[in-house]
Amino acid sequence: MGTLHPLFRRIFVVTLGASLGCVSAPSVVAQEAQRTAHAPAPAALSLSEQIDALIGQPRFAGADWGISVISLDSGRTLYAHRADQLFQPASTSKLFTAAVTLGELGPDYRIPTRVLATSDIRNGRLNGPLVLYGMGDPTLGADASTAQWADQLATQLAAQGLRHVHGDLVADATYFASPAMGTGWEAIDLQSWFAVPATALSVRENQAEVTISPAASAGMAANVSIEPGDAIPSVISEVATSAAHSRADVNLYRAPGDGVLYAFGNVPAKSPAQTYKLAVPDPARFAGTLLMQALKRRGIQLDGKVVSVQWPRRDTLLEAQPRTLAEVLSPPVAEILERGLKRSQNLYLQNLLLLAGVKAQADAEQQNGNTGFITSERWGIRALQQMLERMGIAPGSSVIEEGSGLSRRNLATPNAMARLLAFLATQPYAATLRDALPLAGVDGTLQWRMRNTPAQNNLRAKTGSMSFVHCLAGYVTTDDGERLAFAIMLNNYNPPAGAPSATRDIDAIAVMLAGLRNRIAVPASTPSVATHPAN
């Protein structure tokens, strides 16, 4: 077990209590008016009083608030409210994934995607299958920097003289020994763009766009198009074109595990096209199709077909110890993490957890031999639990089941989240993590939040939200330069009509922290008013 950082040995609770002063009521008597003119002004509300006033409003009677604020400079706990109670963290749980990813893989690791073969190229011909072997890169084809991955692989193959493949193209996604969905993901989400399959062979973020546009006149079948065209191979559409100005009613459904997309309903004539983002049902097959097309562009003939292999099936070709013919590398893990945290991209973080799990399993088997079977996801969670134990965070204070935050089975206390952030701030990769977080008022999921406040261009934090769950956790520097780690969690809250959004309430607390001007506080046992009350 590692040595606990001094920061955690000296965290203690301090109450920033400051009493409200009293001012006499106005008097019509001149002498009283003169006396009260020189009376002391009311003391400013302390941080505790400000936050308590906000979260104590009657509209939160049925909700649960949990908050922890820790000074990175002194180790003091500046504010705590139900800080040891478990809450659903939503996507703020991505911070746990970031921690285990950096700890297991490091910020500089680059993920390979390889083309393998079990035989040699002879006279331009390969007898046997070509294997496209994914090793967890979630960025293939995601942007301009990785858009040409298939052509890069095909070019490398052509440079070795390959002209003819007498066999299939096997798209192998067995590097992860895990289901394609995270533990606790809800079946209803699995066709949506935010809950795409997390596979070892992913491409274009495993998303496709379905566009439905009306036909020329009412009564005709509507037009359905898919982009990219091969991403969803089977579509059955019963969407009709209805009368102009009628109500649109488009429904899309794909059963979990099924590759067929069903579309039904209607779109009004002369109405604009409607586009929907959906999950690709078989990302490995789609990736294989893209490589096959790239091979054709390079003049390489493929006799066979594209075949995808998913866990729990095993690719027996790998047992023959194939050699690598071509390879492309992902951006560094630090860059993947930044893309994932800024956008709260679920595929990126789930894949990073699985990669950390593969690494943890390999390390364990090297030390102990055969370790039995658990999924790559569970290996990643096991590595995370060991890391939290080394930090001194109690096992029961975080129950993380997967890497993205989609699962409602994830639980964490505000103290665990804040202490995690405090620990990460002491690590060699602290700047990497900090810079990967959304910056208030500037970028990522905080681009439009807390603008024109002391938090803008200052607070860096991970957002987290799902139905009735609203969270924010990260770092902020106060108005007088004190560095804080914080976790703000609001669960079981449905704002009543006319109330501010939950996001605005959480942001209001974050802005209070950014505007704080008090480094000196009085311990809870001291009854006197704080010398410098927090603003």
Side-chain angles (χ1 to χ4, degrees), residues 47 51 54 69 440 446 449-450 453-456 458-459 461 472-473 475-478 484 486 488 503-516:
L47 175 67
I51 298 177
L54 190 154
V69 182
L446 290 179
R449 293 171 59 173
M450 291 173 274
T453 73
Q456 180 171 351
N458 168 10
L459 179 144
L472 187 69
Y475 302 107
V476 67
T477 301
T478 68
L484 308 179
F486 67 89
I488 305 169
T503 295
R504 289 187 61 184
D505 289 319
I506 286 176
D507 288 357
I509 297 173
V511 170
M512 292 176 195
L513 301 180
L516 192 61

Side-chain angles (χ1 to χ4, degrees), residues 8 95-96 98-100 102 387 391 417-431 433 475:
F8 300 108
L95 292 169
F96 290 95
V100 72
L102 291 169
M387 173 179 280
M391 294 180 197
M417 187 78 73
R419 287 166 64 87
L420 172 73
L421 286 162
F423 173 84
L424 295 175
T426 69
Q427 299 305 296
Y429 46 74
L433 176 67
Y475 302 107

Side-chain angles (χ1 to χ4, degrees), residues 118-459:
T118 56
S119 59
D120 295 330
I121 300 171
R122 298 183 185 276
N123 300 320
R125 180 184 176 95
L126 179 69
N127 287 317
L130 202 61
V131 180
L132 174 60
Y133 189 54
M135 299 177 70
D137 181 5
T139 69
L140 285 180
D143 57 23
S145 67
T146 59
Q148 304 304 314
W149 68 273
D151 286 297
Q152 290 169 4
L153 291 174
T155 298
Q156 293 176 45
L157 294 170
Q160 295 186 55
L162 182 61
R163 295 291 178 267
H164 189 177
V165 178
H166 185 61
D168 292 332
L169 174 56
V170 178
D172 189 315
T174 61
Y175 187 70
F176 293 153
S178 276
M181 73 290 293
T183 296
W185 290 12
E186 297 182 357
I188 196 172
D189 292 336
L190 296 181
Q191 75 170 2
S192 303
W193 62 270
F194 58 83
V196 301
T199 70
L201 186 52
S202 298
V203 64
R204 298 191 183 183
E205 297 181 350
N206 299 346
Q207 296 177 20
E209 291 187 347
V210 178
T211 300
I212 299 179
S213 54
S217 60
M220 300 178 65
N223 302 307
V224 180
S225 62
I226 308 292
E227 175 58 36
D230 298 313
I232 301 179
S234 182
V235 179
I236 297 176
S237 175
E238 297 179 356
V239 181
T241 303
S242 55
H245 309 299
S246 61
R247 178 179 176 273
D249 179 25
V250 175
N251 304 275
L252 302 172
Y253 176 74
R254 179 173 60 81
D258 191 354
V260 180
L261 175 67
Y262 295 88
F264 52 95
N266 66 273
V267 289
K270 301 181 181 180
S271 65
Q274 300 184 36
T275 299
Y276 306 86
K277 281 187 177 181
L278 297 181
V280 173
D282 189 348
R285 182 182 296 276
F286 179 40
T289 300
L290 293 177
L291 179 58
M292 180 182 67
Q293 295 168 355
L295 294 175
K296 185 176 181 179
R297 288 193 292 270
R298 292 299 181 274
I300 301 173
Q301 178 183 339
L302 179 72
D303 289 345
K305 59 187 180 297
V306 175
V307 178
S308 66
V309 182
Q310 315 277 353
W311 181 85
R313 288 177 57 195
R314 297 179 61 187
D315 190 345
T316 56
L317 296 172
L318 298 180
E319 297 174 0
Q321 297 183 335
R323 64 188 186 90
T324 300
L325 300 181
E327 179 181 84
V328 292
L329 297 176
S330 74
V333 159
E335 185 176 330
I336 299 174
L337 198 57
E338 180 174 0
R339 295 186 196 181
L341 293 178
K342 293 282 190 186
R343 297 165 49 203
S344 201
Q345 219 288 354
N346 294 325
L347 169 65
Y348 286 20
L349 272 293
Q350 180 67 5
N351 267 29
L352 287 175
L353 176 70
L354 295 169
L355 280 162
V358 171
K359 170 66 162 50
Q361 180 181 8
D363 291 344
E365 289 178 347
Q366 186 174 10
Q367 295 176 9
N368 306 313
N370 188 354
T371 56
F373 177 77
I374 62 173
T375 65
S376 300
E377 183 184 62
R378 291 309 306 170
W379 274 110
I381 296 301
R382 178 179 290 186
L384 171 62
Q385 291 169 342
Q386 292 171 350
M387 173 179 280
L388 295 176
E389 184 179 344
R390 292 193 297 270
M391 294 180 197
I393 296 177
S397 63
S398 66
V399 185
I400 305 300
E401 295 285 325
E402 48 82 56
S404 71
L406 275 175
S407 174
R408 289 186 180 271
R409 291 172 57 172
N410 291 334
L411 296 170
T413 69
N415 263 343
M417 187 78 73
R419 287 166 64 87
L420 172 73
L421 286 162
F423 173 84
L424 295 175
T426 69
Q427 299 305 296
Y429 46 74
T432 296
L433 176 67
R434 184 185 64 249
D435 293 344
L437 294 172
L439 181 58
V442 176
D443 64 18
T445 54
L446 290 179
Q447 180 177 3
W448 305 107
R449 293 171 59 173
M450 291 173 274
R451 288 193 165 188
N452 302 314
T453 73
Q456 180 171 351
N457 206 31
N458 168 10
L459 179 144

